Every structure is written in C-alpha cells, then in structure tokens.
Amino acid sequence: MASEPTAARAEAGFVVAGGRPARPGTWTTLLRFARKKPLGAAGGVVMLLMLFAAVFANALQTHDPIRTDSNAVLARPTEVHWLGADHLGRDIYSRIVHGARVSLIVGVASTLLGSVLGGLIGLLSGYVGGRTDLVTQRVMDILQGLPLLVLALVMSAALGPALHNVVIAISIPIVPRAARVIRASVLSIREMQYVEAARALGIQHLRIAFRHVLPNTMGPFIVLGTAQLGSAILVEAALSFLGLGVPEPYPSWGRMLSVSAAEYAQKAPWLVLFPGIAISLAVFGSNLLGDALRDTLDPRLRGA
Amino acid sequence: MLTLFGMSLVIFVLLRLAPGNIVDILFDSAGYVSEADKALIERELGIDKPVWAQYVDWLRAVVTGDLGKSYRYDQPAWQLIKPMIPVTVELAFLSMVISVLLGVPTGVVSAVRQDTGLDYVLRVFSIAGLSMPSFWLGMVIILSLVGWLGWIPPMIYVSPAEDLKLHLVQFLLPALAVGYRSSALIMRITRSAMLEVLREDYVRTAWAKGQSGRAVVWRHALKNAILPVVTVIGIEFAFLIGGLVVTETVFNLPGVARFLVEAILWRDYPIVQNLVMFIAIVVVLSNLVVDMLYGVLDPRVRYG
C-alpha cells in the first residue's frame, strides 16, 4: 500500500505533510485497536451488544418479561417463545434482554462506586503517606482478607434485598482493590518532577492531588474498572442465584438460574442453558476487553 | 492478628446492621405471639443487650474456644460445623489440585507457543473459564451427564466409608467446575511469568548449551517463573472458598460454605460470625503459608 509509510509516521506521532501534528481520529484509533487486538475488539462488540440490549430492552422484548402465562409453562423454544418459557410461563428471551439491563446497571454502578471510592482512598493514602497511609492500608487489608463473594454475601444480607443495596454490597469488595492499584501509581507519580514543580510554585496539596496527580492515574483506573466489571456481573449473578441479590420483579440472570429453576432443569434444560450463556458471554466480553485495554494502556500491569 | 481483630469487628457490625433478627423470623412464621414472650427469648439469646456488649461477649467466647450456640438448631455451633469441615476441605483441596494441574501446563505451553493458534485457543479457553459462573458450570455438567449418559449423580451426600468410588465422583464434579475457573487465573500468571523468564540470558545459555527444549522449559525456566504463580495460588485459595459457597449449594454437599448461606438467610448470628471468622483465619493462614513457601522456592528470600 502506498499510504503505509505516511500512516506509520502518523502513528509514531510524526509531523505529516502540511505541518500539522497528526492526531488520529476516534475511528482511526478504534480501527487500529481492532486490528492489533482482535480479541479485545470482539469483547468490545459483546459489551456494545449488551448495552444495546439493556437500552432497548422494551423494544426488543417479545413478551412482558414479568407476566406469567399458564399456557406457556415450560414451553419449548419455538417461534412464539424464542428461547422457551420458564416454570411460570414467562418468556426467557424477553427476560434475558431485560436481565442485561439489571446486570449492566448493577455491574457498572457497583464497579464505578467501588473504584471511585477506592480510588479516592488510594489517592489520599498514597499522596499523604505516613501514618495515614499505614492505617488505610491496614483497613484495606482487613477488607481484602475476605473472599469477594463472602463479603458481598454478608453485606447484602446485612443491607436487605433492594437494587441499590446489591450495588453497595458488590462495590465494597472492589474498594480495597481499587485503593491498592491507585495508591501504587500515585506513589510513583508523586515523586515526579512536575509534581515537585507544582509544589514549588506553592499550589495547594488538594489541588495538586486532584489536578496533577489524579489525571495520570486514569490508565490503571480504566484497566481496573473493566477488569472488575466482569467479576461484579458474576457476583451479582451468584448473589441473585442464592436469593440475596436483586429482588423480584426485576428479571436477573442469576435468579433465573436459582434453585427453583434448577428443579425443572431436566425437563426443560433451556431454563438453565440460556441465562448462563448470557452471563458467560457478558463476563467473557468484559474480560476480553479488559485484557486488551490493559495491554494497551498499562504494559506494566501485564499479568497482574 | 490485628487484621483478624479488625475483621471480627467488621463482621460483627455488618451483621448487626441487618434488619430483623431470628426472633422476628421465627415469630413471623408462627403468627402472633405476645411481646413478652419475644422479649424473653431475646433475653435468653443475649440479643437484648447493647451491641457493644454483645461484641465483647462474642470476642471473649471466641478467645476461650467457645463458638456459641446456633440460634436455629439450639446446638453448640462447633458441633454443627465440625462434620462439615472435612467436606469443604476435601472439595477445596481437590479443586486446587485440578486447577494447578490444568493451569500450570497450559500456561507454560501457551507461553512457549506465544502468538500461535494454540496460544490463542488456550487463552480463549482460560478466559472462558474466568467468565462462566462455577455454579452454572456445575448445573450444566450435571445436566449433560443426565442427558447424554443417562447417569444421575447422587443428590445426597455419600460418605467415603459408604461408597468410596461414588464419593470421589461426587466430589470430582464440583471440583472440576471450581477448579476450571481457578485454573484460568493460574494459567494467565504462568503464561506471563514464563514469557518474561524465557527472554532471560540464562535461558538462552541453556539453549546454546544444546539442552533439550523440554529441559530448558520445564527445568530452567519454570523454576524461576513459578514464584508469582505460587502467590496467585495462595490468593486463589481465598477466591476458591468464595466459589464454594455457590458450588456446594448446587451440588447439595453438606459443607461449611453452604451452611454459611443458610445461616445468613436465617440470621443465625453465632454461626455466620464464626464461619466468616473461620474463613478469614484460613485466608490469613494461607497467605502466611505462601510467604513461607517463598523462602523454600527462592533461596534469595531469607527471613530474620
């Protein structure tokens, strides 16, 4: 291709003919990402599909996801019920589409809440240092000493069944993980010369921390977020499966798999099969995307 | 020690936040009972006292080895938990073995054949493992056994004394479901650690000496790559226990983890507190073991 050398130079950030520094557009960046990380791009597509399903759930549904229908109890997958119906005659396809909404809301909200809270703690702990740092780290140790699911389980039992409580319960175990990652990167940024320069100029600490240090932790922050999103979706599924997650009537993938559904599994395997595939695909997508983003944004974290 | 103390505080406070206590639950199911009776039972169980007094009571009991009485079963907690421990330990151990056997070799192969088709297949296989909820995988395993082989796995616990073969099969299935998931993480770490080590000079020297590929990879390289893998295995152990919570429920195994879920649903504080505390201790201990293993595996690490 004739344009290859130019493109290569543009990629390297060189000045291309015309004298303007080349800044690749959003599309170019995305295309390049897709070419270099095909698996990551596939993950991105899965996540976009999920987002699409979540946003347009009402338009995509073929039935009311919570209306029971005594004529359709355990119906096989047909043209009417694409993925069959459950033991109450509710359409599984429509429930899965709506479940995407719950999964995504809980996943994104708890990841955001957990990593923003943890990120702030990590920022302050890393920036202030000293005794504050030590105490914070011990508290984080305590939180991290419990398996994620066990902590979320106890939390959600303590808070009671409600959508926002599930979000809080899942976000708490994310806090120490986020705090760790952000603190580590703050520690190295804090020693940089430009931060020293800012301090020499007499800029207030709070301003330095938020304006000068925080923006540079965005790489690890995004990586962390995508990595946690998958596990947040999984934890939500597990909690709902155990009956401690998102309450009725919201259709949740995890609850679709719950024990009551499992009883009918031998007669109607589609009851178990499809929601599980939905969970796996969603987590698979976010894992693939997270991996590719990690490789791209933060080579140091590779394998961490 | 301090960590454990902090954990006990966190666990305790969280559980006391929970709306409703066991008396409420019991009384709800029994219909109307006089307030006086309710107060009497609450006094008997010691949950009428202020929260801090309950905490001190509990701590004193734990230190003296008294694990309290289950509210629900009216039996000493230890007697209830004791027969369950071997079940969970066996399951955790089997899962761990499976995950290491599956994770380390695939990680090594994937690193040696980096960026080949085989590498991609193995990586997708491992990310898939991370994405599937283990409880769903368990359900699918059961379903496919029933569907294709017509073999129905025992749905009640079979002790090794009764029928050793059946017992092993019964444990192997959930261990496979949990182990596959853990193996994914081990595989990823092994892969990235191996990739790093394979680029080292001494590995090139080994090649140059004309040693066989197998010796170079499995003896020279793996020895140095195994350290981060051991760390992850230690961390994984904590996750594994979390994973068992749902798996034991699916496979109906009378283990500690399933009991925890039941106890949470019943607000059986002594059981929940002690089980979570137990898990926390196991996690802290496994971290300690990992630290000590370092000294064994890496002569450069010395203590004291």
Side-chain angles (χ1 to χ4, degrees):
Chain A
M1 260 196 285
S3 63
E4 195 109 317
T6 331
R9 259 188 291 148
E11 216 168 289
F14 286 146
V15 177
V16 194
R20 264 187 300 126
R23 282 197 66 182
T26 319
W27 285 109
T28 333
T29 317
L30 277 178
L31 262 175
R32 198 189 305 151
F33 179 75
R35 205 170 333 130
K36 274 173 72 179
K37 303 272 174 208
L39 284 180
V45 170
V46 172
M47 291 321 282
L48 279 180
L49 272 177
M50 190 178 171
L51 184 67
F52 182 76
V55 173
F56 299 107
N58 286 332
L60 288 168
Q61 72 182 45
T62 54
H63 296 74
D64 184 342
I66 54 178
R67 216 198 57 218
T68 56
D69 176 1
S70 55
N71 292 322
V73 171
L74 297 181
R76 299 186 153 275
T78 51
E79 304 91 75
V80 189
H81 295 284
W82 294 350
L83 302 180
D86 67 6
H87 56 290
L88 297 175
R90 295 174 298 193
D91 182 57
I92 291 183
Y93 164 75
S94 304
R95 286 177 71 75
I96 285 182
V97 170
H98 279 267
R101 189 179 275 180
V102 172
S103 236
L104 207 62
I105 289 176
V106 173
V108 170
S110 54
T111 307
L112 267 182
L113 185 66
S115 40
V116 166
L117 210 66
L120 283 179
I121 292 173
L123 174 69
L124 294 180
S125 158
Y127 187 81
V128 177
R131 194 169 294 169
T132 318
D133 187 32
L134 208 71
V135 172
T136 321
Q137 287 312 304
R138 285 295 82 75
V139 176
M140 294 297 123
D141 272 350
I142 291 168
L143 280 180
Q144 215 170 8
L146 285 172
L148 200 141
L149 188 58
V150 173
L151 186 55
L153 203 66
V154 174
M155 283 290 299
S156 73
L159 294 169
L163 194 63
H164 59 271
N165 284 342
V166 174
V167 169
I168 296 173
I170 299 175
S171 71
I172 296 298
I174 297 177
V175 169
R177 287 162 180 82
R180 281 273 150 76
V181 172
I182 300 301
R183 173 180 172 269
S185 83
V186 166
L187 281 182
S188 69
I189 293 169
R190 192 181 62 170
E191 303 303 327
M192 296 222 172
Q193 278 189 343
Y194 80 93
V195 175
E196 203 180 313
R199 215 169 290 150
L201 282 171
I203 300 174
Q204 282 173 335
H205 281 305
L206 220 61
R207 197 177 151 83
I208 296 179
F210 280 92
R211 285 287 310 253
H212 300 274
V213 177
L214 191 65
N216 281 312
T217 62
M218 276 304 136
F221 190 80
I222 291 170
V223 171
L224 177 95
T226 25
Q228 292 298 332
L229 180 62
S231 67
I233 293 176
L234 267 185
V235 173
E236 186 271 319
L239 286 181
S240 300
F241 169 76
L242 293 172
L244 285 163
V246 182
E248 300 273 5
Y250 304 104
S252 143
W253 292 342
R255 191 152 28 70
M256 290 171 77
L257 289 172
S258 72
V259 186
S260 62
E263 278 168 25
Y264 301 93
Q266 284 181 25
K267 249 197 295 177
W270 51 90
L271 238 70
V272 167
L273 214 54
F274 296 119
I277 291 177
I279 299 172
S280 306
L281 260 182
V283 181
F284 191 62
S286 71
N287 280 345
L288 284 179
L289 185 65
D291 270 14
L293 281 179
R294 182 184 61 197
D295 286 355
T296 315
L297 290 176
D298 195 351
R300 277 169 312 159
L301 273 177
R302 215 167 296 190
Chain B
M1 206 58 225
L2 198 67
T3 315
L4 285 180
F5 178 73
M7 272 180 197
S8 74
L9 199 63
V10 170
I11 295 164
F12 189 86
V13 171
L14 274 180
L15 285 174
R16 289 310 182 279
L17 279 177
N21 58 29
I22 180 136
V23 180
D24 293 332
I25 293 183
L26 286 177
F27 276 50
D28 274 350
S29 50
Y32 179 78
V33 186
S34 75
E35 283 296 313
D37 281 350
K38 204 173 148 180
L40 190 74
I41 295 178
E42 282 185 349
R43 179 142 12 96
E44 215 171 272
L45 295 173
I47 47 181
D48 60 331
K49 291 190 212 164
V51 171
W52 62 266
Q54 291 182 39
Y55 177 65
V56 173
D57 279 354
W58 175 51
L59 216 57
R60 190 180 297 141
V62 167
V63 171
T64 54
D66 173 13
L67 295 184
K69 236 166 128 186
S70 158
Y71 294 164
R72 185 176 161 213
Y73 293 99
D74 199 25
Q75 272 180 40
W78 176 242
Q79 261 179 29
L80 286 169
I81 298 174
K82 207 171 95 184
M84 297 176 187
I85 292 177
V87 174
T88 302
V89 168
E90 186 181 345
L91 193 55
F93 181 73
L94 267 177
S95 318
M96 208 72 242
V97 170
I98 289 178
S99 67
V100 172
L101 285 183
L102 207 64
V104 173
T106 47
V108 171
V109 170
S110 182
V112 173
R113 303 247 180 278
Q114 192 194 2
D115 288 331
T116 61
L118 186 62
D119 179 29
Y120 268 89
V121 170
L122 286 177
R123 276 162 69 191
V124 168
F125 175 76
S126 111
I127 300 180
L130 273 182
S131 311
M132 283 189 266
S134 56
F135 61 91
W136 179 66
L137 197 61
M139 287 166 131
V140 171
I141 291 178
I142 296 180
L143 269 182
S144 40
L145 279 178
V146 174
W148 286 330
L149 300 175
W151 179 75
I152 299 165
M155 272 302 136
I156 43 168
Y157 174 66
V158 183
S159 80
E162 271 171 70
D163 187 343
L164 188 64
K165 218 174 109 195
L166 203 59
H167 171 82
L168 279 180
V169 172
Q170 188 179 32
F171 273 73
L172 219 54
L173 296 178
L176 218 78
V178 180
Y180 174 35
R181 183 179 159 68
S182 308
S183 79
L185 251 158
I186 293 178
M187 182 258 179
R188 281 150 61 114
I189 303 297
T190 311
R191 180 176 179 275
S192 62
M194 278 299 279
L195 279 179
E196 225 164 84
V197 172
L198 284 175
R199 291 200 194 98
E200 302 259 342
D201 286 342
Y202 80 94
V203 172
R204 201 185 314 145
T205 311
W207 284 114
K209 277 200 314 188
Q211 283 197 313
S212 75
R214 199 179 292 163
V216 174
V217 171
W218 295 98
R219 183 124 40 86
H220 295 268
L222 187 60
K223 217 177 189 174
N224 270 314
I226 205 78
L227 215 57
V229 178
V230 171
T231 318
V232 171
I233 294 176
I235 298 171
E236 255 313 279
F237 196 71
F239 275 95
L240 212 120
I241 296 175
L244 292 185
V245 170
V246 259
T247 316
E248 283 183 355
T249 308
V250 171
F251 285 87
N252 206 18
L253 291 173
V256 177
R258 192 190 62 168
F259 195 50
L260 173 68
V261 177
E262 262 175 45
I264 285 178
L265 291 173
W266 276 88
R267 305 243 178 284
D268 202 342
Y269 296 150
I271 298 285
V272 178
Q273 275 165 14
N274 291 322
L275 280 183
V276 177
M277 203 58 212
F278 175 71
I279 292 172
I281 292 170
V282 169
V283 171
V284 170
L285 279 182
S286 70
N287 286 341
L288 197 70
V289 170
V290 167
D291 280 347
M292 300 213 290
L293 268 181
Y294 268 9
V296 178
L297 289 173
D298 187 346
R300 283 169 300 186
V301 180
R302 281 277 168 264
Y303 303 102

